[in-house]
Amino acid sequence: MEVVRQIALSFPLVVFSVLLPLVALYWLLVAIRLAPVELFEHDSLKGDHLASTLVTLGFAGVPASFALTVLLVLAGGITLAVELLVLRWLPLGLFRIPVGAVVLWGAFALASPLAASLCHGLHRWFHRHSPRRCLLGETVVVKEAPGSDECTTAGVIDDPACEVRLHGKPGALPRAGERRVLVKYLPGEGAYRSVAEREYLDARTRLSRLRLQQKRKKGGARNGGPAASP
């Protein structure tokens, strides 16, 4: 037991020793209906909140809480393997903190595509059994032209049996056969706002570039010199 305790409290594994029990407690609260499944979801992907970040990483179609759970479990498993196979046998001393930070980053980098793939395989189940905000970020194909109420139906590309109601805006109405991305949920109507797939991808690209420029400016300010040109 002493060996197990030492491993569990060693850095970086201690991060998961703290987080995973909290995750288990959260799902217990969900099971007894004291906490919502869509704890981190918003009605819109606009803004730098957790749900929109996870959608950007490829976790569309499942609640952010579930995606985060899978990511933490996989990253924790990878970190545990590295700890047992490598770190515990090395006399790292004070170097354990920087080495552990690198291991932590690498574990999440390796776990992210695996977790996204696993969540993608389960998203059809969530389409039918989870509240509707988890559909934000999904790509749909419009089935028919909007009616006089500016609404139409669309099917999720990866799950044609899952249909959603789209509410368009004058001048930007969905067209039959068009591929669009769900970006906002309208709870009062049970419908979604959407944008053309190309516009969504272009917006993500512009946002990524803007964030990169902001990071460069902050880095230049900290170093006391001019920011690097993009």
mmCIF file of all heavy atoms in Angstrom, residues 38 50 121 123 134 165 174 181 201 220:
data_model
loop_
_atom_site.group_PDB
_atom_site.id
_atom_site.type_symbol
_atom_site.label_atom_id
_atom_site.label_comp_id
_atom_site.label_asym_id
_atom_site.label_seq_id
_atom_site.Cartn_x
_atom_site.Cartn_y
_atom_site.Cartn_z
ATOM 1 N N GLU A 38 -25.157 18.281 -19.215
ATOM 2 C CA GLU A 38 -24.613 19.390 -19.987
ATOM 3 C C GLU A 38 -24.120 20.514 -19.068
ATOM 4 O O GLU A 38 -24.470 21.683 -19.240
ATOM 5 C CB GLU A 38 -25.675 19.918 -20.949
ATOM 6 C CG GLU A 38 -25.987 18.937 -22.075
ATOM 7 C CD GLU A 38 -26.881 19.556 -23.124
ATOM 8 O OE1 GLU A 38 -27.832 20.267 -22.774
ATOM 9 O OE2 GLU A 38 -26.625 19.321 -24.310
ATOM 10 N N LEU A 50 -15.375 26.062 -22.401
ATOM 11 C CA LEU A 50 -14.853 24.705 -22.522
ATOM 12 C C LEU A 50 -15.511 23.929 -23.648
ATOM 13 O O LEU A 50 -14.843 23.234 -24.416
ATOM 14 C CB LEU A 50 -15.044 23.970 -21.186
ATOM 15 C CG LEU A 50 -14.566 22.515 -21.135
ATOM 16 C CD1 LEU A 50 -13.075 22.416 -21.452
ATOM 17 C CD2 LEU A 50 -14.860 21.905 -19.768
ATOM 18 N N GLY A 121 -17.323 7.620 -31.934
ATOM 19 C CA GLY A 121 -18.006 6.342 -32.066
ATOM 20 C C GLY A 121 -19.257 6.240 -31.214
ATOM 21 O O GLY A 121 -20.122 5.398 -31.471
ATOM 22 N N HIS A 123 -21.210 9.078 -30.425
ATOM 23 C CA HIS A 123 -22.055 10.269 -30.523
ATOM 24 C C HIS A 123 -23.477 9.948 -30.971
ATOM 25 O O HIS A 123 -24.405 10.677 -30.630
ATOM 26 C CB HIS A 123 -21.407 11.322 -31.410
ATOM 27 C CG HIS A 123 -21.393 11.003 -32.870
ATOM 28 N ND1 HIS A 123 -21.129 11.954 -33.819
ATOM 29 C CD2 HIS A 123 -21.612 9.854 -33.546
ATOM 30 C CE1 HIS A 123 -21.187 11.402 -35.019
ATOM 31 N NE2 HIS A 123 -21.468 10.133 -34.878
ATOM 32 N N CYS A 134 -25.547 19.267 -27.048
ATOM 33 C CA CYS A 134 -24.336 18.546 -27.427
ATOM 34 C C CYS A 134 -24.210 18.390 -28.939
ATOM 35 O O CYS A 134 -23.167 17.977 -29.442
ATOM 36 C CB CYS A 134 -24.275 17.179 -26.750
ATOM 37 S SG CYS A 134 -25.392 15.946 -27.447
ATOM 38 N N ARG A 165 -34.061 20.742 -36.537
ATOM 39 C CA ARG A 165 -34.816 21.845 -37.143
ATOM 40 C C ARG A 165 -33.915 23.070 -37.204
ATOM 41 O O ARG A 165 -33.348 23.490 -36.192
ATOM 42 C CB ARG A 165 -36.068 22.133 -36.303
ATOM 43 C CG ARG A 165 -37.000 23.188 -36.871
ATOM 44 C CD ARG A 165 -38.333 23.147 -36.124
ATOM 45 N NE ARG A 165 -39.259 24.179 -36.585
ATOM 46 C CZ ARG A 165 -39.473 25.317 -35.942
ATOM 47 N NH1 ARG A 165 -38.834 25.566 -34.798
ATOM 48 N NH2 ARG A 165 -40.320 26.210 -36.413
ATOM 49 N N PRO A 174 -30.786 28.606 -45.221
ATOM 50 C CA PRO A 174 -30.200 27.348 -45.710
ATOM 51 C C PRO A 174 -30.783 26.973 -47.064
ATOM 52 O O PRO A 174 -31.941 27.276 -47.364
ATOM 53 C CB PRO A 174 -30.595 26.330 -44.635
ATOM 54 C CG PRO A 174 -30.956 27.146 -43.432
ATOM 55 C CD PRO A 174 -31.510 28.428 -43.960
ATOM 56 N N VAL A 181 -23.081 23.881 -40.376
ATOM 57 C CA VAL A 181 -22.626 23.512 -39.037
ATOM 58 C C VAL A 181 -23.534 24.178 -38.010
ATOM 59 O O VAL A 181 -23.803 25.384 -38.099
ATOM 60 C CB VAL A 181 -21.163 23.938 -38.804
ATOM 61 C CG1 VAL A 181 -20.717 23.581 -37.388
ATOM 62 C CG2 VAL A 181 -20.246 23.264 -39.819
ATOM 63 N N LEU A 201 -15.453 26.879 -41.182
ATOM 64 C CA LEU A 201 -14.035 26.514 -41.215
ATOM 65 C C LEU A 201 -13.158 27.745 -41.391
ATOM 66 O O LEU A 201 -12.095 27.855 -40.768
ATOM 67 C CB LEU A 201 -13.785 25.514 -42.349
ATOM 68 C CG LEU A 201 -14.478 24.156 -42.203
ATOM 69 C CD1 LEU A 201 -14.235 23.286 -43.434
ATOM 70 C CD2 LEU A 201 -14.001 23.435 -40.942
ATOM 71 N N GLY A 220 6.122 39.338 -26.899
ATOM 72 C CA GLY A 220 7.010 40.465 -27.156
ATOM 73 C C GLY A 220 6.973 41.484 -26.045
ATOM 74 O O GLY A 220 7.990 42.065 -25.675
#
